[in-house]
Amino acid sequence: MKSARIVGLGKYLPSKILTNADLEKMVDTSDEWITTRTGIKERRIVEKGVGSSVLAYEAAKVALKRADLKPHDIDLIIVASITPDNQFPSTACYLQHHLKARRACCFDISAACAGFVYALSCAWQFIRGGLYKNALVVGSEVLSSITDWQDRSTCVLFGDGAGAAVLTASNKESFLSAYMGGDGSQAEILILPAGGSRISASEETVSKRMHYIKMKGNELFRVAVRVMVQAARRVLKQAELESQDINLFIPHQANNRIIDAVAKRLNMPLDKVYVNIARYGNMSSASSAVALCEAWEEGRIKKDDIVVLDTFGGGLVWGSCAIRWV
Ligand code: UT7
């Protein structure tokens, strides 16, 4: 077996919908501002107390069924999340337990919105190296748990959800290339300031609302466009492809204006760009996972198509990968 291919995709979105009209009643905002500045109309929110592993479990069950594999067949589980159930143990361990996938080794990846691409690339390499045969990769987030519902500059952006992919060893070359980058010098642009080892939880951190996402949106916007373009160009070059070879481009769903700017710079016609931000907002690692699954469900991905995922997020991190749908 020379490589890995995706044999099953799944997604889970909580049923509760929070619309822009609902947000108008919570903070000083408007449907018009949110729609024109971001493209978001509504997002999904879990019931309080539901952790990322539960969403991951629901998405994973669908992906495994479509892959025609049982939990016992899985030997590697990677969960990408910035909203793990707990700081430890890993959400992948909880997912393994929910699934009863007792043979699987499990670990989490913290690469924010690029997490699903990072995790896919890891699983691909583990399988390609011969260590594992079947891998389950999940992007799962409960961003509502770290969203400051009093901060209009961030609370309109995020949503909850999960997407899953099952990869299996294959002689067919499906993953054509991957590229991941990072820049820790810009960590403060998008950060959850407290709750880690540097600034542990205290009455002061709670009263200063330091357990919620803090974001310098404007600065992030500029970097996002630049590095997403750079990442996509890099994977295309590595795979010896041109942008016109892409059948479906799946960018991170952070902002419609970022997506448009990236697509324009890559000369990608918008009918080849998958966008679902209006319905779900930004779900960090779950965004590209859900988008990939949904695009496949809608018949937007056919055999031999070239699909490129292109992501960017807090860290800062970015990652892109090119997949031939075999
Ligand atoms: O997933 C990780 C990656 N995330 C990103 O890449 C996000 C990147 N950034 C963005 O998407 C955009 O910067 C935002 C959507 C976050 C903000 O859009 P913007 O066009 O950059 O707006 P801004 O922050 O420059 O704010 C413009 C104005 C400000 O008012 P003044 O100072 O001009 O009077 C804000 O106070 O809009 C105001 N504003 C709002 N008004 C109504 C900010 N948030 C809101 C709001 N409703 N929700």
Side-chain angles (χ1 to χ4, degrees):
M1 297 289 180
K2 289 198 206 77
S3 191
R5 68 190 182 102
I6 295 174
V7 286
L9 294 168
K11 69 174 201 286
Y12 176 75
L13 284 315
S15 56
K16 188 170 157 192
I17 296 173
L18 186 71
T19 65
N20 290 351
D22 296 328
L23 282 162
E24 283 177 350
K25 293 176 205 141
M26 295 162 63
V27 287
D28 181 15
T29 191
S30 64
D31 173 49
E32 201 260 329
W33 191 95
I34 304 170
T35 307
T36 54
R37 296 287 178 132
T38 72
I40 302 167
K41 296 300 272 184
E42 58 187 44
R43 64 291 288 145
R44 303 298 180 96
I45 306 290
V46 294
E47 295 301 326
K48 219 174 163 45
V50 175
S52 290
S53 71
V54 174
L55 282 67
Y57 172 58
E58 296 298 333
K61 277 194 296 188
V62 178
L64 279 168
K65 191 156 190 261
R66 287 173 173 165
D68 199 20
L69 288 175
K70 299 274 175 264
H72 184 74
D73 298 320
I74 297 296
D75 32 38
L76 169 66
I77 297 176
I78 311 177
V79 173
S81 187
I82 51 165
T83 48
D85 284 24
N86 294 75
Q87 202 165 29
F88 79 92
S90 70
T91 301
C93 278
Y94 284 115
L95 175 59
Q96 186 229 37
H97 178 63
H98 296 328
L99 286 168
K100 299 189 180 58
R102 295 192 183 94
R103 286 184 49 247
C105 95
C106 354
F107 64 90
D108 286 1
I109 281 184
S110 175
C113 313
F116 185 65
V117 167
Y118 268 64
L120 268 186
S121 307
C122 283
W124 167 40
Q125 290 301 316
F126 270 121
I127 292 174
R128 193 185 193 199
L131 202 55
Y132 298 115
K133 187 166 174 257
N134 297 314
L136 172 63
V137 174
V138 188
S140 186
E141 303 286 4
V142 178
L143 293 180
S144 59
S145 67
I146 56 167
T147 296
D148 186 344
W149 295 103
Q150 295 177 14
D151 175 8
R152 71 173 183 173
S153 71
T154 52
C155 76
V156 301
L157 305 173
F158 304 111
D160 302 335
V166 175
L167 279 70
T168 196
S170 167
N171 278 322
K172 292 180 188 158
E173 197 67 77
S174 175
F175 283 84
L176 304 178
S177 63
Y179 167 68
M180 285 158 282
D183 178 5
S185 73
Q186 302 199 65
E188 304 293 321
I189 297 185
L190 179 53
I191 191 168
L192 190 76
S197 54
R198 191 161 55 106
I199 308 174
S200 59
S202 66
E203 277 179 33
E204 191 191 350
T205 62
V206 173
S207 67
K208 288 185 173 165
R209 311 185 76 74
M210 290 168 74
H211 296 271
Y212 295 125
I213 300 169
K214 308 285 178 214
M215 186 173 88
K216 293 177 184 153
N218 258 317
E219 291 175 43
L220 208 52
F221 193 110
R222 281 191 292 274
V223 193
V225 174
R226 181 169 52 80
V227 298
M228 283 176 73
V229 170
Q230 189 194 90
R233 285 197 179 132
R234 188 107 171 222
V235 288
L236 286 173
K237 193 167 178 217
Q238 282 169 7
E240 296 176 4
L241 295 168
E242 303 290 335
S243 56
Q244 56 268 29
D245 296 322
I246 301 175
N247 299 96
L248 192 66
F249 181 67
I250 304 182
H252 174 47
Q253 313 281 311
N255 189 317
N256 244 347
R257 290 182 295 141
I258 294 177
I259 295 172
D260 287 350
V262 171
K264 194 169 170 203
R265 283 166 178 72
L266 292 172
N267 292 322
M268 287 295 305
L270 287 178
D271 62 350
K272 286 186 171 184
V273 180
Y274 193 79
V275 183
N276 63 7
I277 188 173
R279 284 175 283 134
Y280 307 130
N282 179 352
M283 299 183 288
S284 190
S285 71
S287 274
S288 47
V290 168
L292 177 64
C293 176
E294 216 166 62
W296 176 80
E297 286 171 346
E298 289 169 8
R300 298 274 305 266
I301 305 174
K302 293 177 198 69
K303 193 171 176 306
D304 289 327
D305 274 0
I306 306 276
V307 178
V308 170
L309 303 182
D310 195 15
T311 58
F312 164 81
L316 301 176
V317 285
W318 49 93
S320 182
C321 65
I323 304 167
R324 186 190 301 278
W325 214 256
V326 292

